[in-house]
Amino acid sequence: MFRFSLSGVRGLISALTISILSASTAAHAEGFTSPDILVLGDSQISFGAGPAFVEFFTDIKAHCSPDPIQKQQLSSLGEMKVSVIGVRSTSLHSWTARSGRAKGRVCDVDPKWKVNAGSYGYVNQTANQYVQIGRGKNYQFCAAGKSPFEEMFREDYYNPSLLLMSFLGNSAKRWANDPELAVKDVERMHAHLPADIPCIFMTTAPAYKKSITDLRRKAQRNLEAAFEKTGSHCSFVPGVTPQTVAANQGNKTYFRLNKRGMVKDPFHPNKAAAKNFFALEMGGICKAIFDQIGLRQASVN
């Protein structure tokens, strides 16, 4: 008669778990080619901004009018394969969490729709923009004990030449009410990202209601101060500016309406708003791009 100790069973389960996770890791790396430019954000991407991000970064030369030196610098971005992924109610701390509710914002299956993200560009060549993070070789960001950033940017997986992060609304209260949490989030971001990755952080577009935008403006101030305080090498581009607020706030044509013609979603600007947002933000985005790739080339040389 065989006897199994509890510790022996636990050891066997642990070994099997490690084996399965290792096999899964190998599987999702096989046949995967990283995009050259990666944009990560929240639900604003899947509600309107996704295609605008792809269009802008696919044709940087046309939008940013680079000088001869900058044209040469753009070669560091390879073929400029652009991927844009926006995950529902996420923010910066969701991507650095190793467990719990914050990580669940990225990794848990949406209970209603069974998908939790919008994906555009290079890593999603299908006609369906909606995906569930954790399903499919292009979205394996969820491993036990690791943050989505740590799993995404491991050695044989995503390795972009430029990363842009776009968040604000889902951390508006967090950052507005406690500047130290903004500092903590930026510090964790750097701890979980590869040290040599060129990066831009751009806060998302203003909302329809003044009360929402006012909170986000305060959060943006605290977050920008956190980037400065931590000595971040990432470029910071404010998305809430006098120009973008004037364009979005109170402008019904830039938000989804109900049958009565009233704004039904004051948080997510539509595609027309996203296109105008990029036009207004173009100078800041272009400067950040050339600052980042210039810094990278200087460090290599």
Side-chain angles (χ1 to χ4, degrees):
M1 182 174 67
F2 294 101
R3 293 182 178 177
F4 295 95
S5 68
L6 182 59
S7 61
V9 172
R10 285 174 176 167
L12 178 60
I13 292 173
S14 177
L16 286 171
T17 301
I18 292 171
S19 176
I20 291 169
L21 287 175
S22 298
S24 174
T25 296
H28 78 238
E30 185 178 353
F32 177 82
T33 302
S34 175
D36 301 306
I37 300 171
L38 175 64
V39 176
L40 289 177
D42 56 23
S43 54
Q44 281 211 14
I45 284 176
S46 52
F47 276 89
F53 269 114
V54 173
E55 194 278 330
F56 182 91
F57 280 99
T58 300
D59 202 0
I60 293 174
K61 290 180 181 178
H63 293 300
C64 294
S65 302
D67 61 31
I69 293 176
Q70 291 169 336
K71 284 182 180 178
Q72 189 176 26
Q73 290 176 332
L74 286 174
S75 64
S76 69
L77 299 181
E79 298 175 6
M80 295 192 188
K81 299 186 292 286
V82 180
S83 288
V84 179
I85 303 172
V87 187
R88 60 176 188 184
S89 301
T90 57
S91 194
L92 188 57
H93 65 285
S94 308
W95 292 85
T96 62
R98 293 186 173 125
S99 62
R101 184 178 180 183
K103 182 179 179 179
R105 296 288 189 182
V106 177
C107 297
D108 291 349
V109 177
D110 186 276
K112 181 177 181 180
W113 303 108
K114 310 305 178 185
V115 290
N116 71 339
S119 178
Y120 306 80
Y122 179 71
V123 299
N124 186 9
Q125 301 296 321
T126 71
N128 183 10
Q129 71 188 55
Y130 299 109
V131 301
Q132 172 62 49
I133 301 303
R135 294 179 176 173
K137 68 178 182 180
N138 294 342
Y139 311 104
Q140 293 298 312
F141 312 150
C142 304
K146 290 185 178 182
S147 72
F149 270 167
E150 288 174 321
E151 183 67 1
M152 184 178 210
F153 296 113
R154 63 188 183 76
E155 187 174 351
D156 59 346
Y157 205 28
Y158 277 75
N159 183 33
S161 298
L162 180 66
L163 168 67
L164 185 143
M165 295 162 281
S166 180
F167 300 101
L168 182 59
N170 296 297
S171 277
K173 288 183 180 179
R174 177 182 175 88
W175 293 334
N177 294 340
D178 191 344
E180 288 306 309
L181 284 178
V183 172
K184 181 179 179 180
D185 288 345
V186 174
E187 288 176 339
R188 283 185 175 177
M189 177 195 77
H190 282 292
H192 290 234
L193 288 178
D196 61 345
I197 190 168
C199 55
I200 299 169
F201 192 103
M202 183 172 73
T203 49
T204 50
Y208 177 75
K209 293 182 178 179
K210 183 178 184 299
S211 58
I212 300 171
T213 297
D214 286 348
L215 179 68
R216 293 185 181 187
R217 184 186 287 108
K218 183 178 179 182
Q220 178 180 271
R221 284 198 300 267
N222 289 342
L223 185 64
E224 185 171 13
F227 272 82
E228 294 175 359
K229 184 175 182 178
T230 59
S232 173
H233 73 275
C234 297
S235 295
F236 187 92
V237 180
V240 181
T241 68
Q243 294 77 22
T244 60
V245 171
N248 284 21
Q249 190 171 286
N251 184 355
K252 292 202 300 183
T253 62
Y254 279 176
F255 293 86
R256 275 163 291 281
L257 307 178
N258 60 25
K259 293 180 180 179
R260 296 180 296 165
M262 304 296 290
V263 172
K264 64 179 181 180
D265 179 1
F267 297 98
H268 301 101
N270 59 27
K271 291 181 180 179
K275 185 176 181 179
N276 186 61
F277 178 74
F278 273 86
L280 294 173
E281 291 284 280
M282 193 172 298
I285 299 171
C286 292
K287 182 181 185 304
I289 291 170
F290 292 123
D291 283 350
Q292 285 298 310
I293 59 179
L295 284 171
R296 183 175 192 177
Q297 290 190 344
S299 66
V300 171
N301 296 333

